């Protein structure tokens, strides 16, 4: 008989079944509808019929920017409408007087874990002014918190690449030092040179075998043109499944026919789309893209930082906001919103062993709901959170976890 570390009894699955879940060495070794015989059992927990969901996957966050764990900082609006360059200027001024990155990042990680996040992708600023001074503490945070959350790091050129001399070399250095992906930012709108910008981004990715995640705020036909060029380069370089475009506002600003045409190119190339349905901005039509075969996932993006004052790291709330803004009402639509912060995000991050299934990594969230639809609508708390079978947040309170 197989010895197990943890046996979770009376667990409700998303399909309504009440089961027991056996965990060994951080993996789910069995899910059974009736009691099974095991060898030695290290610990038994009775979940009392609470719902067990796969760990939430934060597809887009900025751990180096937040003011969680710091004093309240009032939001400073742009002077003449939203402008990325001015927003970055305000951000740098605010961060200059903020607590150290390691303090704020740890506080945000605690908050996200307490809400049910077990994986995340963090974009980290790399530019000629800050060098790798943001990247290094986030790398350290990834290691320090590895038993509670898995973190992918994107080397992100927040100040541009071509307009910030030396940034291309710093991005390459960050990837060589352990960044999982290379980022980009508005090749046309910020750098004014789509070809030059993408040459750098795809060049680094191809040299080092890493993924790509590009912030794209550029709208209208210009944005669509950039999306199609990213898809073309992805297909040509064989990077399908490893490239994402974050925001892609243009997909929410053009005609349905144009979106469908672009969606087919994205699906064929294997380019994913990240949206957090932000504020009053148009955003990509989730179901249209999904039905065309595009992987559409989500994340909280900025949380209580210089970009906006909102957010508490709750990905179920993010799924609710996406559903609310998209007009989702049916069970199928609510499940689609849930998938964006779980299975779809896991696919975008390349998490092959994800999910509440035999053989999967034992990352899950336990809460009071009858199904995923109720979880999205009600966002119930408290929550218990497990990482590799170990309880890392009890009743939404983060716990210290030994190495």
């Amino acid at each position: 008989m197989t010895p197990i570390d943890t046996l979770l009894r009376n667990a409700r699955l998303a399909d309504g079944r009440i089961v027991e879940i056996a965990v060994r060495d951080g993996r789910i070794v069995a899910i059974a509808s009736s009691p099974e015989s095991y060898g030695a059992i290290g610990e038994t927990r009775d979940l009392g019929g609470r719902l067990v969901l796969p760990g939430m996957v934060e597809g887009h966050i900025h751990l180096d920017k937040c003011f969680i764990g710091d004093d309240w900082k009032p939001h400073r609006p742009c002077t003449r409408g939203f402008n990325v360059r001015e927003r970055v200027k305000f951000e740098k001024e605010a961060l200059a007087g903020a607590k150290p990155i390691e303090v704020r990042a740890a506080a945000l990680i605690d908050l996200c874990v307490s809400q049910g996040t077990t994986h995340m992708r963090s974009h980290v600023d790399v530019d000629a002014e800050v060098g790798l001074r943001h990247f290094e503490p986030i790398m350290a945070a990834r290691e320090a918190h590895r038993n509670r959350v898995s973190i992918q790091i994107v080397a992100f050129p927040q100040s541009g690449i071509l307009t910030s001399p030396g940034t291309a070399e710093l991005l390459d250095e960050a990837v060589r030092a352990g960044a999982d992906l290379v980022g980009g930012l508005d090749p046309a709108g910020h750098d004014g040179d789509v070809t030059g910008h993408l040459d750098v981004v795809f060049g680094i990715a191809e040299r080092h075998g890493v993924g790509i995640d590009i912030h794209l705020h550029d709208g209208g036909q210009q944005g669509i043109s950039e999306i199609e060029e990213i898809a073309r380069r992805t297909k040509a370089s064989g990077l399908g499944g490893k490239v994402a475009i974050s925001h892609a506002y243009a997909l929410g600003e053009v005609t349905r026919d144009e979106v469908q045409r672009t969606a087919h190119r994205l699906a064929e190339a294997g380019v994913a789309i990240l949206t957090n349905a932000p504020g009053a901005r148009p955003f990509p039509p989730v179901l249209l893209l999904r039905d065309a075969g595009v992987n559409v996932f989500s994340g909280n993006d900025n949380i209580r930082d210089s970009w906006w004052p909102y957010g508490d790291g709750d990905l179920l709330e993010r799924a609710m906001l996406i559903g609310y803004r998209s007009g989702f009402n049916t069970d199928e639509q609510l499940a689609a919103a849930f998938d964006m912060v779980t299975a779809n995000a896991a696919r975008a991050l390349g998490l092959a062993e994800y999910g509440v299934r035999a053989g999967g990594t034992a990352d899950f969230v336990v809460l009071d709901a009858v199904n995923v639809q109720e979880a999205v609508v009600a966002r119930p708390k408290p929550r218990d959170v497990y990482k590799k079978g170990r309880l890392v947040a009890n009743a939404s309170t983060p716990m210290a976890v030994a190495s």
Side-chain angles (χ1 to χ4, degrees), residues 14-228:
D15 62 9
R17 287 184 296 145
I18 302 296
V19 301
E20 62 179 28
I21 301 173
V23 177
R24 181 185 181 190
D25 295 333
R27 294 183 182 278
I28 299 171
V29 295
I31 296 177
S33 297
S34 56
E36 296 283 328
S37 296
Y38 303 101
I41 300 175
E43 181 181 23
T44 299
R45 292 177 180 268
D46 191 325
L47 300 187
R50 299 177 79 204
L51 182 64
V52 176
L53 300 175
M56 306 293 162
V57 182
E58 171 59 76
H60 187 122
I61 198 169
H62 294 264
L63 289 174
D64 58 328
K65 297 177 183 289
C66 78
F67 298 131
I68 301 291
D70 203 344
D71 299 328
W72 175 261
K73 300 189 187 308
H75 183 73
R76 184 179 176 187
C78 290
T79 54
R80 286 185 290 274
F82 178 78
N83 178 275
V84 172
R85 290 186 186 279
E86 187 175 40
R87 189 82 261 142
V88 172
K89 175 179 178 291
F90 291 169
E91 175 185 73
K92 288 182 180 294
E93 291 171 358
L95 289 175
K99 289 184 180 180
I101 287 176
E102 51 265 38
V103 173
R104 294 180 286 108
L108 183 52
I109 289 170
D110 275 350
L111 183 61
C112 291
V113 169
S114 75
Q115 308 279 27
T117 297
T118 57
H119 303 272
M120 60 173 59
R121 173 179 288 180
S122 177
H123 298 254
V124 180
D125 286 8
V126 173
D127 65 33
E129 182 178 334
V130 303
L132 300 183
R133 291 196 303 276
H134 286 210
F135 172 74
E136 289 160 351
I138 298 303
M139 283 284 287
R142 174 168 74 177
E143 176 61 22
H145 297 274
R146 62 186 173 85
N147 290 322
R148 301 194 301 137
V149 62
S150 305
I151 301 175
Q152 289 185 357
I153 294 177
V154 184
F156 172 48
Q158 177 68 87
S159 299
I161 298 176
L162 307 180
T163 55
S164 179
T167 296
E169 292 75 16
L170 286 165
L171 291 172
D172 193 274
E173 185 178 349
V175 169
R176 285 187 281 111
D180 304 281
L181 301 97
V182 59
L185 171 68
D186 296 339
H190 200 85
D191 264 357
D193 183 347
V194 174
T195 299
H197 187 103
L198 294 180
D199 281 349
V200 172
V201 173
F202 276 85
I204 292 172
E206 292 182 67
R207 282 197 302 276
H208 300 292
V210 298
I212 293 170
D213 195 325
I214 298 175
H215 283 61
L216 188 62
H217 310 95
D218 291 342
Q221 293 301 324
Q222 176 60 66
I224 293 297
S225 174
E226 291 171 82
I227 290 169
E228 292 180 343

Side-chain angles (χ1 to χ4, degrees), residues 8-10 43 45-56 112-118 148 316 356 362-369 379-399:
L8 302 175
R9 289 192 166 127
N10 292 315
E43 181 181 23
R45 292 177 180 268
D46 191 325
L47 300 187
R50 299 177 79 204
L51 182 64
V52 176
L53 300 175
M56 306 293 162
C112 291
V113 169
S114 75
Q115 308 279 27
T117 297
T118 57
R148 301 194 301 137
L316 283 178
V356 181
D363 296 339
F364 38 77
V365 186
V366 182
L367 46 75
D368 290 308
R379 293 102 62 214
K381 295 178 184 176
R383 302 169 191 172
D384 293 337
V385 186
Y386 291 80
K387 179 68 177 173
K388 294 185 178 178
R390 304 167 77 180
L391 189 64
V392 296
N394 184 19
S396 295
T397 301
M399 301 171 63

Side-chain angles (χ1 to χ4, degrees), residues 67-68 72-76 302-312:
F67 298 131
I68 301 291
W72 175 261
K73 300 189 187 308
H75 183 73
R76 184 179 176 187
N302 301 89
I303 295 178
R304 295 191 215 169
D305 59 14
S306 290
W307 294 76
W308 53 59
Y310 297 101
D312 65 358

Side-chain angles (χ1 to χ4, degrees), residues 216-228 247-264 266 281-286 288-289:
L216 188 62
H217 310 95
D218 291 342
Q221 293 301 324
Q222 176 60 66
I224 293 297
S225 174
E226 291 171 82
I227 290 169
E228 292 180 343
H247 307 313
Y249 293 151
L251 290 169
E253 297 175 346
V254 298
T255 68
R256 183 179 180 86
D257 286 346
E258 287 177 291
V259 176
Q260 287 181 320
R261 173 175 54 80
T262 306
H264 288 303
L266 289 167
R281 292 296 303 261
F283 64 99
V286 172
L288 189 157
L289 293 171

